[in-house]
Amino acid sequence: MSNALGSVARGITSYVQQRVEGWRTGSRASQAFLLLVLVLLVGVAVGIGALAQVVVPVSLWFLFLMLGLMLLRFVPLLLLTVVLGVAAFWTSVETGFSTPSREAALAILAVGVLLAIYQGSRQRSGLPMALSEAVLTQLRDRLQRQGVVPPLPNGWRSESATITANGPSYAGDFLVADLREGRWLEMALVDVCGKGTSVGPQALQFAGALGGLIGALPPAELMAAANHFLLRQESDESLATAVHIKVDLVTGDYTITSAGHPPALHWHLGQRGWAVDNARGMALGVIDDAEFTPSRGRLHPGEALMFYTDGVIESADRDLDEGIDWLRDQALRAVDARGFTGMPKRVLKKVPRGDDDRALLVLERQPLTSPDRDVERSRSLAG
C-alpha cells in the first residue's frame, strides 16, 4: 500500500514539475493549460457559491485576477478577465442571494480588471509578469558572473565591490576578466553611460561582447573592437568608459589601456602612497578612430593597482582632480588601517551617496615570503 502511495506521489510530483517547466518556456500550450486550470477554479467557486446560496466574495475574483496577471500572457489574461466578469456578474446580480453592496463590489472589480488589462498590455517582452522577473534575474546573475575574477595563483589577490545608485541590482558598471595559461590575467572595468534600470540591458549586451573578446585580442585591438561595437548600436546613449589591464603574473609586468576612464592608481611600496597612472584615451562609442595611449609598469610584491568608476570620485562640490586626491587619501587610510583585505568595500562606504553607480577593483601582488625574496631579486635584475 505504501509503495502504491509513493508511486502516486512521485507521479504527481513529476507531472507538476513538467507543467512548471513548460510554463517557464512561455509556450502557447502551457499558457492554454494554465488558463484552463484558472477557468475551472473560477467554475468551482461559482458552483460552491450557488450550492451554498452565498455571494462569492469579490476578493476571490481579485485573487484570480492577480494570479492571471502574474502567470498569463496578455491574450490569455484578457480571456480570463472576461470569464471573471461573467462569473462576478452572475453571482452578484442574477442570483437571489445578492447583497446590497453588489454595485460597489462590481465597480471595484471592474477597475481592477481594467488595471490588469492595462498592465498586461504594457509587457513589451510578451511574457507573464512572474516569468519576466525570472528572465531579468537570470540576466542580472549572468552579468554578475562575468565579473568574477578567476582564481589567481599564489601571491596574487583581487577584490572588487559595486554599489548601485538607485537600489536595483542592475548597474551600468561591470567587470569582465580572463586568465590564460595560469599566467596572463586580463580585466576590464567598464562604466556604461546612463542611470537606473534602463542601463542594465546595455551593460549586459556590452559585457557579453567584451567577455567574448577579452583574452582573444591585444589590449589596443580589444578597445578598438569595443569602440566599433558601440558605434554600430546607432544610439546616442551607447557610450562607455573603460580601463583594461593585462598582467604577467610571473614577472608582474602590466599594460594599462584607458578609454576615457578615470586614471588607475598604483600603490608603490617604497613611496607609501597611491601614484596616478598616465594611461589615456578617448571614451568608447564617440568617434571611429579613437586613440589610446597605454601605460606600462611592473607590480612588485607588496604593491597594488586600483581601478574605479567616476561615481567614486565625482560629486557636485568637487572637480575630477579633487575627487582623485580624495580617493587617494581614503585609500591610503584604508591600507594603513587593515591592509588591502576588504579595501574596496571599506572605501566605497566612505563615498557620499549620489545618483551614479560606483565600482572599485584592487589587484594586489602580495609580499613574498623569505625563501622567495632572492628569486624575485634575481628576476628583477634579469628584467
Side-chain angles (χ1 to χ4, degrees):
M1 181 67 178
S2 59
N3 292 335
L5 291 176
S7 178
V8 172
R10 287 192 295 271
I12 294 175
T13 301
S14 176
Y15 179 79
V16 172
Q17 289 178 345
Q18 291 177 2
R19 289 301 179 183
V20 171
E21 291 299 326
W23 171 78
R24 288 177 177 172
T25 65
S27 65
R28 292 183 177 179
S30 65
Q31 289 286 293
F33 176 80
L34 189 56
L35 174 62
L36 177 61
V37 171
L38 291 175
V39 170
L40 289 176
L41 290 176
V42 172
V44 170
V46 172
I48 294 176
L51 291 175
Q53 294 190 350
V54 296
V55 176
V56 179
V58 69
S59 57
L60 182 62
W61 307 131
F62 270 111
L63 175 61
F64 287 124
L65 185 62
M66 293 303 101
L67 287 174
L69 184 60
M70 291 178 58
L71 303 177
L72 296 177
R73 291 185 173 186
F74 178 65
V75 173
L77 175 63
L78 192 61
L79 295 176
L80 178 64
T81 57
V82 173
V83 173
L84 288 175
V86 172
F89 180 82
W90 186 84
T91 57
S92 298
V93 177
E94 296 299 326
T95 59
F97 40 87
S98 57
T99 64
S101 61
R102 64 178 181 231
E103 292 83 3
L106 288 174
I108 294 173
L109 179 62
V111 172
V113 167
L114 292 176
L115 291 175
I117 293 175
Y118 172 77
Q119 180 62 33
S121 66
R122 302 293 293 178
Q123 295 175 0
R124 298 178 60 183
S125 65
L127 298 175
M129 182 183 298
L131 192 55
S132 298
E133 179 65 22
V135 171
L136 289 175
T137 301
Q138 292 177 6
L139 295 178
R140 179 203 62 193
D141 293 343
R142 182 175 299 179
L143 179 61
Q144 293 177 345
R145 283 195 300 269
Q146 287 183 330
V148 176
V149 179
L152 301 181
N154 292 334
W156 292 87
R157 182 172 59 183
S158 176
E159 291 189 34
S160 63
T162 301
I163 298 179
T164 57
N166 300 310
S169 300
Y170 304 94
D173 299 349
F174 67 86
L175 171 71
V176 292
D178 178 70
L179 178 63
R180 289 179 293 110
E181 303 173 5
R183 174 174 181 174
W184 302 100
L185 173 66
E186 293 191 50
M187 298 186 293
L189 181 62
V190 183
D191 183 0
V192 178
C193 296
K195 295 180 175 64
T197 56
S198 61
V199 77
Q202 300 178 46
L204 180 67
Q205 185 183 35
F206 194 30
L210 279 182
L213 294 174
I214 194 168
L217 295 174
E221 295 182 17
L222 171 68
M223 287 297 193
N227 184 55
H228 292 153
F229 174 84
L230 290 181
L231 288 172
R232 290 198 303 270
Q233 305 309 306
E234 297 181 354
S235 171
D236 294 337
E237 297 181 353
S238 295
L239 305 174
T241 65
V243 60
H244 173 276
I245 179 173
K246 182 176 182 180
V247 189
D248 184 345
L249 298 181
V250 174
T251 65
D253 294 333
Y254 65 80
T255 300
I256 296 176
T257 308
S258 178
H261 209 78
L265 300 179
H266 187 159
W267 172 267
H268 290 282
L269 188 60
Q271 301 176 10
R272 192 186 162 274
W274 294 94
V276 179
D277 184 75
N278 60 0
R280 298 292 185 271
M282 177 68 70
L284 302 175
V286 179
I287 60 175
D288 286 321
D289 300 323
E291 296 184 357
F292 310 102
T293 304
S295 66
R296 293 176 175 83
R298 173 171 291 185
L299 204 60
H300 297 283
E303 297 185 348
L305 290 169
M306 179 168 59
F307 308 90
Y308 51 94
T309 56
D310 57 8
V312 177
I313 58 175
E314 288 185 349
S315 66
D317 58 349
R318 65 183 178 220
D319 59 23
L320 184 63
D321 291 335
E322 292 175 341
I324 295 175
D325 291 339
W326 175 88
L327 176 60
R328 294 171 66 190
D329 179 65
Q330 293 295 327
L332 174 60
R333 295 182 183 182
V335 174
D336 286 344
R338 294 169 51 190
F340 296 105
T341 302
M343 182 189 136
K345 291 183 179 179
R346 288 186 282 126
V347 172
L348 288 187
K349 288 182 179 179
K350 301 293 184 180
V351 179
R353 182 178 297 275
D355 59 352
D356 198 1
D357 301 322
R358 301 173 291 281
L360 196 148
L361 166 69
V362 172
L363 175 66
E364 175 195 3
R365 189 176 187 185
Q366 297 173 312
L368 293 175
T369 57
S370 298
D372 296 328
R373 294 184 186 277
D374 294 336
V375 177
E376 176 61 24
R377 186 179 297 110
S378 63
R379 284 178 176 172
S380 299
L381 292 176

